Structures are given as structure tokens and as C-alpha cells.
Amino acid sequence: MKTFRTGALRPAADAARPSRMDAANDLVRRTLAQHGLMPGGDGSGAPSLLSGELMRALGGRAAAAPGAVASLAIADGAEFRNDTFAGRSGSRAYRTYVPASAEGQVTGVVMMLHGCTQTPEDFATGTGMNALAESGRFVVIYPEQSRGANAQTCWNWFSKGDQRRDRGEPEILAGMARKVAAEHGVGREQTFVSGLSAGAAMAVILGETYPDVFAAVGAHSGLPYGAAIDVPSAFAAMAGTGAGSADAPATGSDLRTIIFHGDADRTVHPANGKGIARWADARGAEITQQRDDFLTEGGRRVQRRVTINADGITQMEEWTVAGLGHAWSGGKAGGSYTDPAGPDASAEMIRFFFDATREEV
């Protein structure tokens, strides 16, 4: 077993760009006031002006994320490649984990989109996805957002130019997924995308704009497609007070979706997880629903809603986790924005992604 020690997460930009960051802070104050979201501490439940991810989500100044240094274990014989993909809209660096277990034949490709201030290495550590790739023989892509595109390395889910097919970040990321899938002989039915927070919001955008590339989406602590089109509406959406998108999905695709959201998330309001679920439900004209309410082995209460389409395939799973904040459920302590208490979001997403490709389904 090889172990690679990742570098510290890059600190939030501050001294290097004081005027830009001060302007961002002023914009935060004005926008929060505009939407009636005053600094926290008044018991209203409104997000704090200086509460970590709210600031980072749109490039404001905030403290560096926790779990700044992580050790990443790589199985003997596996590869964790560095590469860059260039599309018409620009380029992004990315890492690809090719499991030793694949032996030239992989079962699928999973793209993992990190949250704000995270790196591919940090996200791989926190989600434990590489270990699942070894047992499942699939390849994992970890794109890296550039600081030139967003000062806090957030995917620009709130920008109109990054919400459309053949434009912006969706064009780059979909092209990256196509490239890696082609390299490993993987088709659309075995290509999936997932993410956390801003990464989850971008994963949802990719599902809506490129249903010919991705068969399923995993969204952890994310926001629905069309939740915001600019900075003010992004703050409102994160706080759960935005209007969101009133339109049903126009793709008519069979895209499948699994959603995780904590009911104690004070950074991206839980209403956003339910908004993603409504979009996923809208794709199935004939569906049946199942609801579960159970305790995990650790005693955490979970509500799970499942919709099944007319062909008997699970179209959507919505997991609402009691007591979970803005963190990856069941994540590893070595990564940032993780909650080890579970349930294991990584394992459940992989089970959901691949179940529909198995013969017995």
C-alpha cells in the first residue's frame, strides 16, 4: 500500500488580493441585508455573515477549511494520475484513480466534484471513494477547480454562463468525462457524477445539460438546477429563501438521482435537497414511492424516500439525515467537511449508481 501525503489545503486568498476580498465582503453584507439575512447569533436561524462556506461559496474571505492535511492511501498496483483537459471553454486539471483491481477492464466511471476550498486529494480522502473503486473496479475522476475561475475553488453553479450545455464549466467537465470514459471503454450507462455543496450543484447542472454523458447524479448538500443565476440569488438559494426554478426538467431523460442532505445544514438549507428531489420526481410519469424512517447503527435517524419507475428501476433516492450539518455523511476524518457518523453516503451512492446496470434489475 502506497501512501501519498497531500499538501495543506490552500488558504483563503486575503493579503494577496485585499481589495477584491474586501469588495466581496461588502457584497456579502449588502446581499444578506437585501434578503433579510442578518448576521447570525440572533436565534433566527439565518446564516452567520462570517460562517465558513457561505462566504467561501461565492469567493468571500473566510478561514481555511478543517482537515488541512490528509494522507491518501493508494493500493499497490493502482494509479492516481495527474492530467489536464482542455475544452472550448477553457481547461482544468484533474486526477484519475485507476484501481489495481481493474486489470484492464473497468465497470464504470464516477466523476467526483469537490466543494469550496477543497482539493481533489482532500475530497478523495474524505469520501473514501478510492477504496470503493478498488472493490467495485471503477475509475474515479477528481476535477480541480482553478483559483483563476473562483478564488475559493468553488464550481460556479450560480453563474448563467456555467449552467448551459456547450458552455463554461459544464462543457469542460462533460468533455473530461467523455475522454476518460472513452479511454476505458465505458459507455453512458456506466458514467456517473457526484459532488458536495458547490460540487453537488454543478453535478446537478451536468445531469441536466449532459444526460447523454451521465446516467445518474449524486448530490450531497447541494442545490437544484436553476436555483440561482447570480450572486444575490445564490445567497437567497443557499439560505432557503430563493424562488428557485419553477420549470420542470426539459430534457425528458431517464437520468437517475440520489440526494443526501443533513437537516442541521446551516450553510445550504435542507429545502434545496428537497428541490433536487422534486426535479428528479418530475422525470417519471409513472412511479411508485416507498418511504423509510430508520436508525443507523450509530443511532442517527434517517428518512429515505425512494421512487421507482414503470420499469421497476429506482429513479430517485432522497436521504435526509438528522443532526447532519454541512458535511459528507459517513466521511473519513482525514478529509475536510466530513461527518464519520454515517450513514455512508459514498457506499450508498455507488450502490445506487451501479444497481441499475446489473442484470437482475
Side-chain angles (χ1 to χ4, degrees), residues 142-182:
Y142 298 97
E144 181 173 17
Q145 176 65 303
S146 70
R147 286 197 175 276
N150 186 288
Q152 301 302 321
T153 65
C154 309
W155 300 101
N156 290 304
W157 59 273
F158 53 88
S159 167
K160 290 185 71 173
D162 295 294
Q163 297 175 353
R164 302 177 187 178
R165 186 181 176 92
D166 297 331
R167 290 187 61 183
E169 291 171 2
E171 186 267 324
I172 299 168
L173 293 169
M176 187 187 297
R178 281 197 193 102
K179 175 178 182 288
V180 175

Side-chain angles (χ1 to χ4, degrees), residues 10 121 182 196 205 247 281 330 333:
R10 293 187 286 269
E121 297 82 6
L196 171 66
I205 290 171
D247 299 324
D281 277 344

Side-chain angles (χ1 to χ4, degrees), residues 2-357:
K2 297 177 286 188
T3 301
F4 292 83
R5 191 165 183 80
T6 69
L9 288 178
R10 293 187 286 269
D14 43 29
R17 301 189 215 184
S19 60
R20 178 175 179 176
M21 292 300 99
D22 287 345
N25 282 335
D26 289 341
L27 178 59
V28 169
R29 292 185 181 92
R30 291 197 305 271
T31 304
L32 289 178
Q34 219 174 36
H35 293 276
L37 306 176
M38 301 309 293
D42 59 359
S44 66
S48 169
L49 177 63
L50 299 177
S51 64
E53 190 88 358
L54 179 60
M55 293 286 290
R56 281 187 290 273
L58 301 174
R61 178 167 54 197
V69 178
S71 293
L72 187 59
I74 307 297
D76 291 336
E79 297 180 69
F80 201 32
R81 303 171 182 170
N82 283 291
D83 209 339
T84 300
F85 177 81
R88 294 191 303 275
S89 303
S91 64
R92 293 293 185 278
Y94 67 99
R95 302 206 68 171
T96 308
Y97 186 82
V98 182
S101 62
E103 298 180 352
Q105 182 62 46
V106 303
T107 59
V109 170
V110 178
M111 175 173 277
M112 295 289 289
L113 298 173
H114 63 71
C116 299
T117 75
Q118 292 184 310
T119 64
E121 297 82 6
D122 175 42
F123 198 41
T125 299
T127 60
M129 194 57 75
N130 290 354
L132 292 172
E134 284 295 340
S135 60
R137 294 190 297 114
F138 58 86
V139 170
V140 190
I141 312 170
Y142 298 97
E144 181 173 17
Q145 176 65 303
S146 70
R147 286 197 175 276
N150 186 288
Q152 301 302 321
T153 65
C154 309
W155 300 101
N156 290 304
W157 59 273
F158 53 88
S159 167
K160 290 185 71 173
D162 295 294
Q163 297 175 353
R164 302 177 187 178
R165 186 181 176 92
D166 297 331
R167 290 187 61 183
E169 291 171 2
E171 186 267 324
I172 299 168
L173 293 169
M176 187 187 297
R178 281 197 193 102
K179 175 178 182 288
V180 175
E183 288 172 352
H184 295 278
V186 172
R188 180 259 182 184
E189 293 303 317
Q190 289 79 38
T191 304
F192 314 102
V193 60
S194 179
L196 171 66
S197 191
M202 183 54 68
V204 170
I205 290 171
L206 285 173
E208 292 298 331
T209 54
Y210 287 94
D212 54 322
V213 175
F214 303 99
V217 170
H220 200 311
S221 310
L223 299 100
Y225 182 74
I229 56 172
D230 53 24
V231 171
S233 61
F235 279 116
M238 291 172 68
T241 62
S245 174
D247 299 324
T251 61
S253 75
D254 60 347
L255 189 80
R256 302 165 60 244
T257 308
I258 181 169
I259 303 133
F260 270 77
H261 218 114
D263 70 359
D265 192 334
R266 287 175 56 83
T267 299
V268 177
H269 194 279
N272 287 288
K274 296 189 180 304
I276 299 172
R278 284 194 298 274
W279 275 72
D281 277 344
R283 293 191 187 89
E286 298 179 39
I287 60 174
T288 58
Q289 294 197 16
Q290 299 174 356
R291 295 178 184 270
D292 299 312
D293 192 338
F294 59 92
L295 293 176
T296 64
E297 290 183 2
R300 174 171 269 173
R301 183 166 294 282
V302 176
Q303 291 181 332
R304 180 178 59 189
R305 186 169 67 88
V306 178
T307 61
I308 302 170
N309 67 18
D311 295 323
I313 294 174
T314 301
Q315 190 74 24
M316 189 276 296
E317 290 189 14
E318 178 190 6
W319 293 62
T320 303
V321 184
L324 176 67
H326 198 66
W328 190 272
S329 181
K332 312 305 178 186
S336 63
Y337 299 109
T338 62
D339 186 333
D344 188 340
S346 296
E348 295 296 346
M349 286 186 181
I350 295 306
R351 184 260 316 154
F352 176 85
F353 289 161
F354 287 96
D355 265 1
T357 68

